[in-house]
Amino acid sequence: MASTLTRADGTPLRVLVVDDEINIAELLQMALRYEGWDIQMAHTGRKAVAAAKEFVPDAIVLDMMLPDYDGMEVLRKVRAQSPDIPVLFLTARDSVEDRVAGLTAGGDDYVTKPFSLEEVVARLRGLMRRAGAMDARPNSVITVGDLSLDEDSRDVVRDGREIELTATEFELLRFLMRNPRRVLSKAQILDRVWDYDFGGQANVVELYISYLRKKVDAGHEPMIHTKRGAGYVLKPAE
């Protein structure tokens, strides 16, 4: 994982995600939390303006098409209280006129749907670096219960026993461990670990979860659990 961007005081950057499509907002939230950032969501323009005032984000990911205000109106209201906040527009419209209109209104960058989560993260990192965010290398070791994973050395250890993982198994476990006790859907896992479209690939997640269980949970109380109809969750053994 790349070094984490933080505020100047070392605290996590705050990002407000505004999109009325809840599944898209939740995927963005998951990807940005994976970067170590503090995320809040809003699904209407009115709530976005209120959240911007209360949450005081360092950047906003803003859908142009909302059920009440449009993105331009949200931007105007937010900039009235926070003139310098970076804004990344999301839109399904890809015409030159819309792109120019968004940037002319004061947006800092523009991503069209469908987009990859990696592209949104990369654009945001660029915006926030220019706005003064700092690079900080966090502790490279993630620990959940008696399981630890070192992002630098790629060592994985449970209860003192080293676990050998393939590259894909390592990425899947890292994603689970960066979101402990949080149920992750197959769609979220596919997008984050494989960057696949969601159709027809869910069996890949099931297969790799079974591989991980054999290596991580073998001889121990299980840490990887299935939430039927929802996804998977990793948590410390009881």
Side-chain angles (χ1 to χ4, degrees), residues 203-221:
N203 60 323
V204 173
V205 178
E206 295 169 10
L207 184 63
Y208 274 85
I209 287 287
S210 72
Y211 292 160
L212 270 189
R213 281 181 167 141
K214 289 174 183 175
K215 295 183 177 183
V216 172
D217 286 342
H220 300 278
E221 287 294 315

Side-chain angles (χ1 to χ4, degrees), residues 14-175:
R14 296 179 180 180
V15 182
L16 176 61
V17 175
V18 185
D19 198 310
D20 63 323
E21 295 184 69
I22 294 175
N23 60 331
I24 290 178
E26 288 179 344
L27 283 170
L28 285 167
Q29 178 189 53
M30 189 69 63
L32 300 179
R33 278 187 174 159
Y34 187 75
E35 294 295 310
W37 300 335
D38 188 4
I39 311 301
Q40 190 167 120
M41 293 190 297
H43 303 304
T44 68
R46 192 178 304 277
K47 289 181 179 178
V49 173
K53 187 173 184 179
E54 296 167 10
F55 184 53
V56 193
D58 298 289
I60 299 176
V61 179
L62 177 59
D63 188 18
M64 291 279 280
M65 301 294 289
L66 295 166
D68 48 0
Y69 308 151
D70 65 15
M72 304 284 197
E73 181 66 16
V74 174
L75 180 65
R76 283 192 289 270
K77 290 178 180 294
V78 168
R79 283 279 171 78
Q81 60 197 32
S82 303
D84 300 322
I85 189 169
V87 173
L88 175 67
F89 272 128
L90 303 177
T91 182
R93 299 176 298 182
D94 196 19
S95 73
V96 173
E97 291 81 3
D98 288 324
R99 187 185 300 271
V100 170
L103 298 179
T104 303
D108 297 279
D109 207 345
Y110 192 105
V111 176
T112 55
K113 297 179 180 179
F115 51 79
S116 74
L117 295 177
E118 285 73 15
E119 180 184 11
V120 173
V121 170
R123 297 286 186 92
L124 268 181
R125 289 178 71 88
L127 287 181
M128 291 193 288
R129 273 204 178 94
R130 293 198 292 274
M134 309 294 289
D135 279 308
R137 178 67 215 181
N139 187 338
S140 65
V141 178
I142 310 168
T143 302
V144 179
D146 61 355
L147 178 66
S148 66
L149 177 150
D150 191 320
E151 295 181 298
D152 288 342
S153 69
R154 301 184 78 83
D155 291 332
V156 177
V157 176
R158 182 165 185 192
D159 193 25
R161 177 178 63 88
E162 190 166 348
I163 300 170
E164 295 291 335
L165 299 178
T166 67
T168 301
E169 290 166 352
F170 182 89
E171 289 303 321
L172 175 55
L173 182 61
R174 174 158 65 176
F175 187 39

